[in-house]
Amino acid sequence: MRTVITTLAYTFPREIVIVWILAFAARLLFMLFVAYSKSPLALRSWPYTNVQKLDPANFLRLCAWALTALLAGMAIFARQHGFNTDIVLALGWLTIASALLIPLCYLPLNFPTWLDPRWYDNVRKGLVDELGNLLPRGGALRASTELTLSGGQKREFSTRITLPLGWQQVEEAPSYLTPAPLAPSVLIVQGPMDYHHLCPPTLLICATPASSEQRLPLGTLSEAIARQIPGWFTLDEITQSKPKASLMCTGTYTAEGVSFTAIQWAWVEKLDSSTFVTMSATATTTTHSFPKYFDEICRMVTKVSVA
């Protein structure tokens, strides 16, 4: 071992060895940073690296290659600079140990889930439950809600929505979400992450008892939201045929230095001959990602069913 390291130490110039060490150290640290860090920089870097495409075995294999090269360079560096023989030999044996990890990655082994950078990325986005299972994405979603009607009578109804791929239900609305004037919330769904601002698009559906099937007056939504959101600017408020004779208000606001665009729909659903409920759907996205998710959001809202 010592002879091999000594031969390599005299073969490679010191400058080359230093560059070698720095290059592989930077590569290894960057891979680990992007895969496991909760830093905003790691989240923004994720889509632009090949780490997002790697399963645990391939990720571990690339890390082992980088670590092997790094330790080999450190062993040569230590020999060139007269480090203690024990240190040189320790680095040499560590190099061999890390190299042995590489063939292991080609075996059909079950690696721990927490080693999977893709799983950890889902953890960072809040797409993993307390048991470590991925939350369901896309597909039909149904939520049951109990409303207290006038006179204290309770009525339960269900709301069904079809989610596009990449959307899932979440328990809490993010802090930047436009407050909805109608409550309580029936369900909250969240879309794919906007890596530019680290804010995913969100759709909040709310319900409140109504006295009749009469449509809300034009201007109701813009006035209500403007009272709640400082700096809210209404772009338009119009009537829509879907969902059922609804109002649709679109506007923008700024929160924590990020520009958001929000759309709110409101319409009345008839549960039976004497029971009505006013539904509202509030979609919030960063202005940067609004064009990307507008069609998906509109399709979800126009197909909401209540029974």
Side-chain angles (χ1 to χ4, degrees):
M1 173 66 69
R2 183 179 178 181
T3 303
V4 173
I5 296 175
T6 300
T7 301
L8 293 174
Y10 283 104
T11 302
F12 295 101
R14 294 187 177 186
E15 295 78 6
I16 297 296
V17 174
I18 292 174
V19 172
W20 176 279
I21 292 173
L22 292 177
F24 281 99
R27 175 176 174 79
L28 180 61
L29 290 175
F30 180 74
M31 290 176 62
L32 295 174
F33 173 76
V34 171
Y36 301 124
S37 173
K38 293 184 178 181
S39 164
L41 179 59
L43 281 170
R44 290 190 174 95
S45 302
W46 175 263
Y48 306 106
T49 67
N50 67 342
V51 176
Q52 61 172 318
K53 303 175 183 178
L54 301 177
D55 57 25
N58 284 320
F59 178 73
L60 184 60
R61 177 176 55 82
L62 289 182
C63 287
W65 271 112
L67 181 61
T68 300
L70 174 62
L71 290 171
M74 292 174 64
I76 296 171
F77 178 87
R79 182 68 183 88
Q80 288 177 334
H81 290 78
F83 280 54
N84 185 283
T85 302
D86 291 338
I87 296 177
V88 175
L89 291 177
L91 289 171
W93 288 116
L94 286 174
T95 301
I96 294 176
S98 62
L100 292 176
L101 290 175
I102 298 172
L104 288 178
C105 297
Y106 290 99
L107 299 178
L109 302 175
N110 291 323
F111 292 92
T113 302
W114 55 265
L115 273 178
D116 191 341
R118 299 168 301 179
W119 179 85
Y120 197 79
D121 184 59
N122 285 310
V123 173
R124 291 185 295 203
K125 298 174 187 174
L127 305 182
V128 175
D129 63 21
E130 296 178 353
L131 300 177
N133 300 316
L134 284 175
L135 296 172
R137 300 186 183 189
L141 177 64
R142 185 182 296 273
S144 297
T145 308
E146 187 177 75
L147 281 182
T148 302
L149 307 176
S150 57
Q153 183 182 9
K154 294 185 181 297
R155 172 63 188 268
E156 185 173 313
F157 68 95
S158 64
T159 304
R160 185 180 185 278
I161 185 173
T162 302
L163 304 181
L165 185 64
W167 288 72
Q168 72 286 315
Q169 184 177 12
V170 294
E171 296 300 323
E172 296 182 359
S175 59
Y176 60 81
L177 185 65
T178 306
L182 304 175
S185 63
V186 174
L187 56 85
I188 307 169
V189 297
Q190 180 175 290
M193 178 67 70
D194 172 9
Y195 285 99
H196 189 74
H197 293 296
L198 306 182
C199 299
T202 308
L203 178 64
L204 170 65
I205 298 179
C206 298
T208 190
S211 58
S212 68
E213 204 171 0
Q214 184 177 358
R215 185 197 305 212
L216 295 173
L218 196 64
T220 301
L221 299 183
S222 56
E223 292 177 5
I225 299 175
R227 287 195 298 267
Q228 299 181 56
I229 307 295
W232 170 264
F233 179 77
T234 299
L235 298 174
D236 61 29
E237 182 170 345
I238 59 175
T239 58
Q240 293 276 97
S241 59
K242 292 184 179 181
K244 303 177 181 178
S246 63
L247 289 182
M248 173 181 168
C249 177
T250 306
T252 62
Y253 68 101
T254 301
E256 301 177 0
V258 178
S259 174
F260 292 93
T261 298
I263 306 177
Q264 187 169 91
W265 291 263
W267 70 98
V268 177
E269 291 279 357
K270 184 178 181 180
L271 301 182
D272 56 41
S273 59
S274 60
T275 307
F276 304 93
V277 59
T278 301
M279 305 294 297
S280 75
T282 305
T284 306
T285 75
T286 60
T287 302
H288 172 265
S289 63
F290 177 75
K292 181 177 180 180
Y293 297 112
F294 174 74
D295 289 339
E296 285 187 356
I297 291 170
C298 289
R299 282 195 298 269
M300 282 191 287
V301 173
T302 55
K303 294 182 180 179
V304 170
S305 62
V306 178

